[in-house]
Amino acid sequence: MDDIKKLADEYGVTFIEEVDAAMLDKRLISAIPVTWAREQGVLPLRVEGVPSLLMSGSAGMTALQHASLVTGEDLQPAFAARDVVASAIDRFYYEGKSTAAAASAPDEAAQPAAGLALQTDTDLLVDQVAQPVTQFLNNVLLEAVRRDASDVHLEPDLNGSLRIRFRLDGVLYEQPPPPPGFALPMVSRIKVMAGMDIAERRLPQDGMAQVRVGGKVVDIRISTVPVSAGERVVMRLLNRDRSLLPLVALGMPEGVLAGFQSLLALPNGMVIVSGPTGSGKTTTLYSALGTLDSRRRNIMTIEDPIEYRLTNIGQIQVKPKIGLTFSNGLRHILRQDPDVVLVGETRDAETAEIAVRSSLTGHLVFTTLHTNDAPSAVMRLVDMGIEPYLLASCLRGVLAQRLVRMLCRECAETVSADDKRLTAAEAAVARAAGCETVKRAKGCAHCLEGFTGRSGIFEFLECDANVADAIHAGRLSSDELREISMGNNKYYPMVRDAAAKLKAGVTSPSEIVSAMGVIGVGKAGG
């Protein structure tokens, strides 16, 4: 950097240490293809309002005249370090895209090469020549990544048109539809991306693809299902930047975080994360694995499907068609000398028994269950056939969770808990949390319907000696286990976390009602 700064001084050229969003000019970006910008190592932008061409040295001067002609501006040179220029190119071309504009006139810089399957790690910003269907599909994916969507839904109707919806912060939002006649070709293109059989339209299919947006890698899990109007497609965007988070970023209250982290330091035992589908269980478990030392410990997982590929961790994909089930795969994992085992989901008695016995023989086992709260996980395993004395010996703790949308800090409005705009359920939640005022969504240019991002609401049950004795004695009801653990200060109820986040203005009463209902939160006051 010092050499480039010295060179800038010699030439009398502006030197830029960091490129900020205020320098973005979408018109300049759209005039120059990203491939040419990368080849030349240059980026058109505005420096203090002056149209400029950012480069990492005098070699970029040869591109200055061409860029000025193409953009129609008298671009002034500006110097920056090579990595600063490269990073800014990816970021600016990524942020400068718009599906709405691309639908009518697809941007040249966002069109993938014709016939190039996306499972070969296609860069959506780079590819240039493509058929209109491919252009439109890639612009849809680019916009989904830009808006941090978790899923893209393509739904045919009886009129032959295709509805496109993005799931943003857990809610589906409709997007501009494709031009007429694009429905069947788009589904075929997606099947090519995922390596599916494009001729098979009678049976459901699953596949994987991968795309890049500059330096960002996004895995896509694709599912097709035949419906009366055609084939319905759901693409799950597995964005590593969004989902492989540190534990402290998940929104756990301090007491829950400390208790859960203490379980991760144990040499053996079973740790359960419970909650309904879509409550963030997998993200929590991956974050937990990320805290473990994979260089000195052998960590293996068996999942259905593998959500994210983790470094230095052996991950097995369940394949029931060839006999690779959770239980069968888990048996083979135990022959691989593991220290830590993650079982994606305990679905049946056989898997539960193997997981429990694995935790009793010196392994630290993580798994998930679908239960409404943490104490209910105990009864669920016993119902699966696990003997209480075995469970008492191996269970170390249960974390239960839900996801709620977080209020936008720019526009959230404060209202009285008795405000008539609140529904009866929302008012009941506010009263149960002991709130005189609460915040509700309003909506502005910085958010989506008043919300931005999501946070977890957590419940934690630590299985100490008293809880273990109760399980061993067959005292398995949720209420009894909750009472015993609360008496020992080993239980953090979800209602307490929900009330705390409501009082702090993190979320709204409507989100608490949506995630937990009213009955559960009614106990928050106690």
Side-chain angles (χ1 to χ4, degrees):
M1 181 180 289
D2 291 339
D3 292 341
I4 297 174
K5 190 172 184 179
K6 184 185 295 184
L7 188 64
D9 292 337
E10 292 177 3
Y11 277 83
V13 171
T14 301
F15 176 78
I16 298 174
E17 291 188 2
E18 294 184 2
V19 178
D20 59 52
M23 299 178 180
L24 171 62
D25 185 323
K26 293 185 179 181
R27 192 188 65 79
L28 294 178
I29 288 290
S30 64
I32 295 180
V34 67
T35 45
W36 187 83
R38 281 182 175 159
E39 288 170 1
Q40 302 296 323
V42 298
L43 175 67
L45 42 67
R46 288 189 178 272
V47 180
E48 296 181 353
V50 178
S52 306
L53 191 69
L54 189 65
M55 57 192 76
S56 57
S58 56
M61 289 291 191
T62 58
L64 185 62
Q65 184 177 5
H66 176 80
S68 296
L69 288 171
V70 171
T71 60
E73 297 274 7
D74 183 17
L75 299 178
Q76 299 301 307
F79 285 2
R82 187 180 303 275
D83 59 339
V84 171
V85 176
S87 175
I89 289 173
D90 283 350
R91 183 160 56 92
F92 273 26
Y93 276 92
Y94 168 57
E95 292 175 353
K97 301 301 168 189
S98 170
T99 298
S104 57
D107 189 290
E108 178 183 21
Q111 300 171 7
L116 183 62
L118 292 188
Q119 70 261 32
T120 59
D121 196 14
T122 297
D123 190 336
L124 298 177
L125 291 175
V126 172
D127 299 327
Q128 290 184 315
V129 183
Q131 299 298 320
V133 169
T134 304
Q135 295 174 5
F136 184 86
L137 176 59
N138 285 336
N139 281 314
V140 168
L141 291 175
L142 190 62
E143 180 72 1
V145 173
R146 186 184 70 82
R147 297 180 65 184
D148 201 22
S150 62
D151 301 86
V152 176
H153 290 233
L154 305 180
E155 303 161 358
D157 63 24
L158 295 176
N159 297 322
S161 59
L162 197 65
R163 180 167 71 157
I164 299 176
R165 295 194 290 174
F166 291 172
R167 188 175 292 280
L168 305 168
D169 292 337
V171 180
L172 286 169
Y173 293 92
E174 195 152 346
Q175 306 301 309
F182 270 38
L184 287 176
M186 279 186 68
V187 173
S188 295
R189 173 60 182 163
I190 292 168
K191 288 183 176 180
V192 171
M193 288 166 47
M196 297 178 182
D197 182 357
I198 63 172
E200 179 55 77
R201 298 179 181 175
R202 301 164 301 169
L203 297 172
Q205 295 189 66
D206 296 300
M208 291 289 296
Q210 188 179 82
V211 297
R212 284 184 297 116
V213 180
K216 183 192 293 286
V217 177
V218 180
D219 295 316
I220 306 178
R221 193 175 79 226
I222 300 171
S223 170
T224 67
V225 174
V227 293
S228 60
E231 283 186 280
R232 189 170 181 145
V233 180
V234 174
M235 295 183 281
R236 169 66 57 89
L237 306 184
L238 305 172
N239 190 333
R240 303 176 190 185
D241 294 340
R242 180 187 66 226
S243 299
L244 299 182
L245 301 173
L247 279 174
V248 293
L250 300 182
M252 291 185 188
E254 187 175 331
V256 173
L257 179 61
F260 190 63
Q261 287 178 325
S262 69
L263 301 185
L264 304 182
L266 296 175
N268 55 60
M270 174 179 278
V271 178
I272 297 171
V273 177
S274 71
T277 299
S279 60
K281 300 187 297 297
T282 300
T283 297
T284 298
L285 284 176
Y286 278 7
S287 298
L289 292 184
T291 67
L292 304 179
D293 186 357
S294 60
R295 295 172 302 172
R296 296 179 178 273
R297 304 175 81 177
N298 183 17
I299 304 174
M300 297 195 69
T301 76
I302 180 161
E303 306 169 60
D304 183 24
I306 295 174
E307 296 278 358
Y308 304 96
R309 285 162 177 78
L310 305 174
T311 305
N312 298 326
I313 291 178
Q315 296 173 272
I316 298 174
Q317 168 72 56
V318 170
K319 297 177 182 176
K321 289 183 179 179
I322 61 173
L324 183 52
T325 60
F326 273 109
S327 57
N328 192 25
L330 186 52
R331 286 194 186 92
H332 289 283
I333 283 178
L334 298 178
R335 299 169 189 164
Q336 292 282 312
D337 185 32
D339 298 297
V340 179
V341 178
L342 186 153
V343 183
E345 183 180 344
T346 299
R347 299 177 178 175
D348 53 62
E350 189 177 11
T351 303
E353 183 178 356
I354 299 171
V356 166
R357 294 193 180 277
S358 301
S359 65
L360 291 170
T361 54
H363 306 92
L364 183 59
V365 177
F366 296 93
T367 190
T368 68
L369 285 174
H370 289 102
T371 61
N372 290 328
D373 55 30
S376 297
V378 174
M379 183 62 77
R380 176 63 55 84
L381 287 173
V382 172
D383 287 344
M384 285 184 178
I386 302 302
E387 293 291 342
Y389 75 91
L390 291 176
L391 194 56
S393 301
C394 75
L395 189 61
R396 300 292 181 258
V398 184
L399 180 78
Q401 63 182 74
R402 301 288 190 279
L403 282 178
V404 293
R405 291 184 292 174
M406 294 189 293
L407 286 163
C408 173
R409 298 191 178 189
E410 300 290 334
C411 67
E413 63 174 335
T414 302
V415 299
S416 167
D418 297 323
D419 194 293
K420 293 182 179 179
R421 287 173 293 179
L422 298 179
T423 66
E426 292 166 1
V429 164
R431 288 193 298 270
C435 297
E436 293 184 2
T437 62
V438 292
K439 290 192 174 183
R440 66 190 296 270
K442 186 176 181 182
C444 68
H446 301 280
C447 65
L448 188 63
E449 296 184 342
F451 297 97
T452 172
R454 289 194 288 178
S455 175
I457 295 180
F458 297 92
E459 176 173 272
F460 182 66
L461 171 68
E462 184 176 346
C463 296
D464 64 355
N466 292 309
V467 173
D469 288 343
I471 296 173
H472 190 280
R475 296 156 60 193
L476 306 174
S477 74
S478 296
D479 289 340
E480 190 162 7
L481 292 177
R482 187 181 292 113
E483 184 178 344
I484 292 170
S485 55
M486 285 186 76
N488 300 321
N489 205 24
K490 297 296 183 180
Y491 178 65
Y492 190 102
M494 189 177 294
V495 291
R496 185 190 303 173
D497 192 23
K501 286 183 167 66
L502 202 58
K503 288 179 179 178
V506 173
T507 191
S508 69
S510 63
E511 284 296 296
I512 300 297
V513 171
S514 176
M516 300 176 59
V518 180
I519 297 175
V521 182
K523 301 175 184 177

